[in-house]
Amino acid sequence: MASFLGSATIRAHGLETLGWIALAALVLGLCVSALLLAPWQLKFAVDARELYDELYPEAEAEAEADTLGWLAAAGYGYQALREENAGKVRVMSWLSGAVGILMIAQTISWLAALAVQ
């Protein structure tokens, strides 16, 4: 929609202040989108072999006592994985919101440029 409004505005009135604002919002939105789509190195799963190798000695040592400390360690390991991703996911969420705001700003600028003339 914004590209249609942009082309209609430029064709009808050329580029004036609101048109430049819309183009700036477009360029910023594309840059923020590129950042959002960049590889983020997130982890989505626990490697079962690595977890087994790490926790088996503890589970074996606890077997006779019939305790489940190793199970708690597995849970805390998953929590650490989640916390490792949390900061990156927060930034990605902010970037996604910024893209939405820039798209709205661009559309409103094109509409205002058409209405003003």
Side-chain angles (χ1 to χ4, degrees):
M1 169 132 186
S3 62
F4 169 75
L5 290 172
S7 66
T9 302
I10 292 170
R11 192 175 313 123
H13 309 293
L15 273 177
E16 294 186 8
T17 305
L18 289 171
W20 284 109
I21 291 171
L23 283 176
L26 171 65
V27 170
L28 285 173
L30 290 173
C31 292
V32 172
S33 296
L35 286 173
L36 187 58
L37 294 173
W40 282 86
Q41 305 292 327
L42 295 174
K43 293 181 183 175
F44 293 101
V46 176
D47 185 333
R49 286 188 181 115
E50 183 179 314
L51 186 64
Y52 179 82
D53 291 341
E54 183 180 323
L55 295 179
Y56 182 77
E58 187 177 343
E60 188 177 39
E62 292 180 10
E64 288 184 26
D66 202 29
T67 59
L68 298 174
W70 63 271
L71 188 57
Y76 283 117
Y78 181 76
Q79 177 68 24
L81 176 73
R82 186 198 163 285
E83 289 171 359
E84 184 180 330
N85 286 340
K88 295 173 186 174
V89 170
R90 192 174 307 111
V91 171
M92 292 174 79
S93 177
W94 281 98
L95 289 172
S96 181
V99 168
I101 290 168
L102 287 166
M103 288 176 61
I104 291 169
Q106 178 189 7
T107 304
I108 289 173
S109 295
W110 287 130
L111 286 171
L114 274 174
V116 168
Q117 303 295 328

